[in-house]
mmCIF file of all heavy atoms in Angstrom:
data_model
loop_
_atom_site.group_PDB
_atom_site.id
_atom_site.type_symbol
_atom_site.label_atom_id
_atom_site.label_comp_id
_atom_site.label_asym_id
_atom_site.label_seq_id
_atom_site.Cartn_x
_atom_site.Cartn_y
_atom_site.Cartn_z
ATOM 1 N N GLY A 162 -200.277 -28.040 129.682
ATOM 2 C CA GLY A 162 -199.275 -28.451 130.620
ATOM 3 C C GLY A 162 -198.052 -27.663 130.506
ATOM 4 O O GLY A 162 -197.253 -27.470 131.467
ATOM 5 N N HIS A 163 -198.013 -26.878 129.409
ATOM 6 C CA HIS A 163 -196.797 -26.055 129.279
ATOM 7 C C HIS A 163 -197.076 -24.540 129.394
ATOM 8 O O HIS A 163 -196.458 -23.736 128.825
ATOM 9 C CB HIS A 163 -196.062 -26.388 127.901
ATOM 10 C CG HIS A 163 -195.487 -27.786 128.025
ATOM 11 N ND1 HIS A 163 -194.359 -28.106 128.733
ATOM 12 C CD2 HIS A 163 -195.992 -28.970 127.423
ATOM 13 C CE1 HIS A 163 -194.212 -29.354 128.629
ATOM 14 N NE2 HIS A 163 -195.166 -29.898 127.837
ATOM 15 N N CYS A 173 -188.704 -26.948 133.147
ATOM 16 C CA CYS A 173 -189.489 -27.994 132.383
ATOM 17 C C CYS A 173 -188.605 -28.487 131.179
ATOM 18 O O CYS A 173 -187.840 -27.700 130.689
ATOM 19 C CB CYS A 173 -190.777 -27.415 131.949
ATOM 20 S SG CYS A 173 -191.820 -28.577 130.996
ATOM 21 N N CYS A 175 -189.453 -28.655 128.367
ATOM 22 C CA CYS A 175 -189.763 -27.804 127.263
ATOM 23 C C CYS A 175 -188.967 -26.490 127.159
ATOM 24 O O CYS A 175 -189.052 -25.713 126.175
ATOM 25 C CB CYS A 175 -191.229 -27.390 127.195
ATOM 26 S SG CYS A 175 -191.670 -26.133 128.299
ATOM 27 N N GLN A 177 -189.189 -23.947 129.494
ATOM 28 C CA GLN A 177 -189.725 -22.972 130.327
ATOM 29 C C GLN A 177 -189.526 -23.309 131.838
ATOM 30 O O GLN A 177 -189.136 -24.470 132.110
ATOM 31 C CB GLN A 177 -191.142 -22.709 129.974
ATOM 32 C CG GLN A 177 -191.429 -22.382 128.530
ATOM 33 C CD GLN A 177 -192.883 -22.171 128.261
ATOM 34 O OE1 GLN A 177 -193.330 -21.010 128.409
ATOM 35 N NE2 GLN A 177 -193.690 -23.217 128.100
ATOM 36 N N CYS A 180 -193.810 -24.892 134.541
ATOM 37 C CA CYS A 180 -195.023 -25.332 133.736
ATOM 38 C C CYS A 180 -195.963 -25.985 134.610
ATOM 39 O O CYS A 180 -195.593 -26.717 135.694
ATOM 40 C CB CYS A 180 -194.509 -26.195 132.573
ATOM 41 S SG CYS A 180 -193.724 -25.316 131.309
HETATM 42 ZN ZN1 LIG B 401 -193.022 -27.005 129.855
#
Side-chain angles (χ1 to χ4, degrees):
H163 297 287
C173 178
C175 79
Q177 304 182 95
C180 288

